[in-house]
Amino acid sequence: MAQSRNDGGAQEAALYRMVMEDHVCPFGLKAKDLLEREGYSVEDHWLTTREETDAFQDKHDVETTPQVFIDGARVGGYDELRVHLGKDSAEEAEDETSYKPIIALFSLGLLMALAVSHLSPEAIISLRTLELFIAISMCLLGLQKLQDVESFSTMFLNYDLLAQRQVRYAYFYPFAETAAGVLMIAGVLIWIAAPLALFIGAVGAASVFKAVYIDKRELKCACVGGSSKVPLGFISLTENLMMVLMAIWMPIRMFVLG
């Protein structure tokens, strides 16, 4: 089945994608949307059965759908289409590492800290805002790990010095980070939260420093979970050092400065 769209003079593209009763390919939908946003007239061919899909793949010697053809020449799937249209570079398509997840997480942590500070009688930007930013970020990072503790632990074992000696520590870590963050947001049980954050932060900082700066290993960081594409390096080290500084500062503020 072909659904065509003619925009009068627009450059033409043919799209072959799976549209079955029980499955509509999400990458096919994204490819169609991207082509239309770029001004292409899309000839939308639906592959409505498994047999039809297999026959198409055999004919064009491809392993996946969707497949995009522009001016009769095959471009490829959705990722190749993005490269073709200049949305991604070929290097970015080949290199799976990205800082985008950690940037998004820390940005959200900062916005949440500002939102909470806005509700308090203190100035919206204060030391408490910084405390909240770090504590909320710890919770968000912990949440990413807790989504799939098994996958996180596998990636974590690649570089964490303590986990390599005591495997159960890899399972303990996400719960400890999240718990410390929650307690620091509330400002309660700091005598538990601070030692937890200090311990996991110090071990984490030492592990990252050894793996990256001494052993010169190229690894992905488990900081945002087991499917992380964030490279292990400066940001990972900063995350752990932030926890260490927070663990030192919170008891001073609460028990010394009052």
Side-chain angles (χ1 to χ4, degrees):
M1 180 184 294
Q3 306 267 327
S4 61
R5 175 190 176 195
N6 191 351
D7 290 331
Q11 192 172 2
E12 294 185 355
L15 171 65
Y16 293 81
R17 62 191 180 99
M18 293 174 63
V19 181
M20 301 180 183
E21 185 176 339
D22 58 350
H23 174 69
V24 177
C25 175
F27 290 104
L29 290 171
K30 292 172 74 173
K32 182 173 183 291
D33 176 70
L34 178 57
L35 285 166
E36 291 177 345
R37 284 190 284 113
E38 291 296 310
Y40 283 82
S41 174
V42 181
E43 187 177 283
D44 188 15
H45 297 268
W46 291 4
L47 304 172
T48 58
T49 65
R50 183 71 258 176
E51 292 75 17
E52 192 174 356
T53 302
D54 291 341
F56 170 82
Q57 291 175 344
D58 290 341
K59 177 180 178 181
H60 295 279
D61 192 24
V62 295
E63 296 182 355
T64 62
T65 59
Q67 291 292 322
V68 177
F69 295 77
I70 295 179
D71 293 334
R74 187 175 72 85
V75 172
Y78 177 69
D79 290 338
E80 291 81 6
L81 176 63
R82 288 187 60 85
V83 173
H84 180 81
L85 297 177
K87 302 300 181 182
D88 294 324
S89 68
E91 291 76 15
E92 288 174 331
E94 293 175 1
D95 185 3
E96 293 185 352
T97 60
S98 172
Y99 286 103
K100 290 180 182 178
I102 202 71
I103 291 172
L105 186 146
F106 282 138
S107 297
L108 178 59
L110 178 59
L111 290 173
M112 292 176 69
L114 290 171
V116 175
S117 296
H118 176 68
L119 299 174
S120 71
E122 300 180 27
I124 190 170
I125 299 178
S126 63
L127 276 175
R128 181 56 180 159
T129 307
L130 179 59
E131 294 171 5
L132 286 168
F133 164 63
I134 297 174
I136 289 171
S137 296
M138 288 168 62
C139 292
L140 294 175
L141 288 164
L143 176 62
Q144 295 298 309
K145 300 173 179 71
L146 288 170
Q147 290 183 87
D148 190 343
V149 178
E150 197 66 40
S151 294
F152 160 77
S153 65
T154 301
M155 186 176 288
F156 193 58
L157 284 163
N158 279 317
Y159 60 87
D160 190 83
L161 297 173
L162 179 56
Q164 289 174 350
R165 289 170 171 78
Q166 297 291 332
V167 173
R168 298 308 301 174
Y169 176 68
Y171 294 89
F172 168 77
Y173 185 99
F175 295 94
E177 182 178 29
T178 307
V182 170
L183 294 176
M184 286 178 173
I185 291 173
V188 299
L189 299 179
I190 297 303
W191 59 274
I192 293 178
L196 266 180
L198 180 62
F199 181 78
I200 65 175
V203 173
S207 300
V208 172
F209 186 84
K210 182 179 184 298
V212 176
Y213 299 103
I214 297 178
D215 298 339
K216 307 294 184 182
R217 300 175 65 195
E218 294 185 3
L219 299 169
K220 292 177 183 176
C221 179
C223 51
V224 289
S227 59
S228 170
K229 296 182 179 181
V230 177
L232 189 69
F234 175 75
I235 289 183
S236 314
L237 182 60
T238 301
E239 172 202 351
N240 286 287
L241 291 177
M242 284 170 57
M243 282 195 284
V244 170
L245 291 173
M246 186 73 161
I248 295 171
W249 165 249
M250 287 294 285
I252 292 174
R253 182 177 73 79
M254 299 196 70
F255 303 128
V256 178
L257 301 180

